[in-house]
Coordinates of all heavy atoms in Angstrom, one line a residue:
I547 N -22.4 10.6 5.1 CA -23.3 9.5 4.8 C -23.1 8.4 5.9 O -22.1 7.8 6.0 CB -23.0 8.9 3.3 CG1 -23.7 7.6 3.1 CG2 -21.6 8.8 3.1 CD1 -25.2 7.8 2.7
E548 N -24.2 8.3 6.7 CA -24.2 7.4 7.8 C -23.0 7.6 8.7 O -22.4 6.7 9.2 CB -24.3 5.9 7.4 CG -25.6 5.7 6.6 CD -25.9 4.2 6.3 OE1 -25.1 3.4 6.8 OE2 -26.9 4.0 5.6
F549 N -22.5 8.8 8.7 CA -21.2 9.3 9.4 C -21.1 8.5 10.8 O -21.9 8.5 11.6 CB -21.1 10.8 9.5 CG -19.9 11.1 10.2 CD1 -18.7 11.2 9.5 CD2 -19.8 11.5 11.5 CE1 -17.5 11.5 10.1 CE2 -18.6 11.9 12.1 CZ -17.4 11.8 11.4
N550 N -19.8 8.0 11.0 CA -19.4 7.5 12.3 C -20.2 6.3 12.8 O -20.6 6.3 13.9 CB -19.4 8.6 13.3 CG -18.6 8.2 14.6 OD1 -17.8 7.3 14.5 ND2 -18.8 8.9 15.6
T551 N -20.6 5.4 11.8 CA -21.5 4.3 12.3 C -20.7 3.0 12.1 O -20.6 2.2 13.0 CB -22.8 4.3 11.5 OG1 -22.6 4.3 10.2 CG2 -23.7 5.5 11.9
T552 N -20.3 2.7 10.9 CA -19.8 1.4 10.6 C -18.3 1.5 10.0 O -18.1 2.5 9.3 CB -20.6 0.7 9.5 OG1 -21.9 0.9 9.8 CG2 -20.3 -0.8 9.4
G553 N -17.4 0.5 10.3 CA -16.1 0.5 9.7 C -15.3 1.6 10.1 O -14.4 2.1 9.3
V554 N -15.5 2.2 11.3 CA -14.7 3.3 11.8 C -14.2 3.0 13.2 O -14.6 2.0 13.8 CB -15.6 4.5 11.9 CG1 -16.0 5.0 10.6 CG2 -16.9 4.4 12.7
S555 N -13.3 3.7 13.7 CA -12.8 3.7 15.1 C -12.8 5.1 15.7 O -12.5 6.1 15.0 CB -11.4 3.2 15.1 OG -10.8 3.5 16.4
T556 N -13.3 5.1 17.0 CA -13.4 6.4 17.6 C -12.1 6.9 18.1 O -11.9 8.0 18.6 CB -14.4 6.3 18.8 OG1 -14.0 5.2 19.6 CG2 -15.8 6.2 18.4
N557 N -11.0 6.0 18.0 CA -9.7 6.4 18.5 C -9.0 7.2 17.4 O -8.8 6.8 16.2 CB -9.0 5.0 18.7 CG -7.5 5.3 19.1 OD1 -7.1 6.4 19.2 ND2 -6.7 4.2 19.4
P558 N -8.7 8.5 17.7 CA -8.1 9.4 16.8 C -6.7 8.8 16.2 O -6.3 9.3 15.2 CB -7.9 10.7 17.6 CG -8.8 10.6 18.7 CD -8.9 9.2 19.1
C559 N -6.1 7.8 16.9 CA -4.8 7.3 16.5 C -5.1 6.3 15.5 O -4.1 5.8 14.7 CB -4.0 6.7 17.6 SG -3.6 8.0 18.8
S560 N -6.4 5.8 15.3 CA -6.6 4.7 14.3 C -6.6 5.3 12.9 O -7.0 6.4 12.6 CB -8.0 4.2 14.6 OG -8.4 3.4 13.5
N561 N -6.2 4.4 11.9 CA -6.3 4.7 10.5 C -7.7 4.9 10.1 O -8.0 5.3 8.9 CB -5.7 3.5 9.8 CG -4.3 3.8 9.4 OD1 -3.8 4.9 9.4 ND2 -3.5 2.8 9.0
L562 N -8.7 4.4 10.9 CA -10.1 4.5 10.4 C -10.9 5.5 11.3 O -12.1 5.4 11.4 CB -10.8 3.1 10.6 CG -10.0 2.0 9.8 CD1 -10.7 0.6 10.2 CD2 -10.2 2.2 8.3
F563 N -10.2 6.5 11.8 CA -10.8 7.6 12.5 C -11.6 8.4 11.5 O -11.0 9.0 10.6 CB -9.8 8.4 13.3 CG -10.3 9.4 14.0 CD1 -11.4 9.3 15.1 CD2 -9.9 10.8 13.9 CE1 -11.9 10.3 15.7 CE2 -10.5 11.9 14.6 CZ -11.5 11.6 15.6
P564 N -12.9 8.5 11.8 CA -13.7 9.4 10.7 C -13.7 10.9 10.9 O -14.2 11.5 10.1 CB -15.1 8.7 11.0 CG -15.1 8.6 12.4 CD -13.7 8.0 12.8
G565 N -13.0 11.3 12.0 CA -13.0 12.8 12.2 C -14.2 13.1 13.3 O -14.9 12.3 13.6
P566 N -14.1 14.4 13.7 CA -15.0 14.7 14.8 C -16.4 14.9 14.3 O -17.4 14.8 15.1 CB -14.4 16.0 15.4 CG -13.6 16.6 14.2 CD -13.0 15.3 13.5
Y567 N -16.6 15.3 13.1 CA -17.9 15.4 12.5 C -17.7 15.3 10.9 O -16.6 15.4 10.4 CB -18.5 16.8 12.8 CG -17.6 18.0 12.6 CD1 -17.5 18.6 11.4 CD2 -16.8 18.4 13.7 CE1 -16.7 19.7 11.3 CE2 -15.9 19.4 13.5 CZ -15.9 20.1 12.3 OH -15.0 21.2 12.1
A568 N -18.8 15.1 10.2 CA -18.7 14.9 8.8 C -18.2 16.1 8.1 O -18.5 17.2 8.5 CB -20.1 14.6 8.2
F569 N -17.3 15.9 7.1 CA -16.7 17.0 6.4 C -15.9 17.9 7.3 O -15.8 19.2 7.2 CB -17.7 17.8 5.7 CG -18.3 17.0 4.5 CD1 -19.6 16.9 4.4 CD2 -17.5 16.5 3.4 CE1 -20.2 16.1 3.3 CE2 -18.1 15.8 2.4 CZ -19.4 15.6 2.4
S570 N -15.3 17.3 8.4 CA -14.4 18.1 9.2 C -13.1 18.5 8.4 O -12.3 19.4 8.8 CB -13.9 17.3 10.4 OG -13.3 16.2 10.1
E571 N -12.9 17.7 7.3 CA -11.6 17.9 6.6 C -11.8 18.8 5.4 O -12.8 18.6 4.6 CB -11.0 16.6 6.1 CG -10.9 15.5 7.2 CD -10.0 16.2 8.3 OE1 -8.8 16.2 8.2 OE2 -10.6 16.4 9.5
V572 N -11.0 19.7 5.1 CA -11.2 20.7 3.9 C -11.1 19.8 2.6 O -11.8 20.1 1.7 CB -10.1 21.9 3.8 CG1 -10.5 22.9 4.8 CG2 -8.7 21.3 4.0
E573 N -10.3 18.8 2.7 CA -10.0 17.9 1.5 C -11.3 17.3 1.1 O -11.7 17.2 -0.1 CB -8.9 17.0 1.8 CG -7.5 17.5 2.0 CD -7.2 18.0 3.4 OE1 -8.2 17.8 4.3 OE2 -6.2 18.5 3.8
T574 N -12.1 16.7 2.0 CA -13.3 16.1 1.7 C -14.4 17.1 1.2 O -15.3 16.9 0.4 CB -13.9 15.2 2.8 OG1 -14.0 15.9 3.9 CG2 -12.9 14.0 3.1
Q575 N -14.2 18.3 1.9 CA -15.3 19.4 1.4 C -15.0 19.8 0.0 O -16.0 20.0 -0.7 CB -14.9 20.6 2.3 CG -15.3 20.5 3.7 CD -14.8 21.8 4.6 OE1 -14.6 22.9 4.0 NE2 -14.6 21.6 5.8
Y576 N -13.8 19.7 -0.5 CA -13.6 20.1 -1.9 C -14.2 19.1 -2.8 O -14.8 19.3 -3.9 CB -12.0 20.3 -2.2 CG -11.5 21.3 -1.4 CD1 -10.1 21.2 -0.9 CD2 -12.0 22.6 -1.1 CE1 -9.5 22.2 -0.2 CE2 -11.4 23.4 -0.4 CZ -10.2 23.3 0.1 OH -9.6 24.3 0.8

Side-chain angles (χ1 to χ4, degrees):
I547 168 82
E548 300 187 6
F549 178 76
N550 195 17
T551 53
T552 318
V554 291
S555 164
T556 51
N557 179 355
C559 298
S560 162
N561 262 343
L562 301 176
F563 180 58
Y567 49 87
F569 292 123
S570 59
E571 306 306 287
V572 284
E573 294 82 3
T574 58
Q575 291 172 24
Y576 298 143

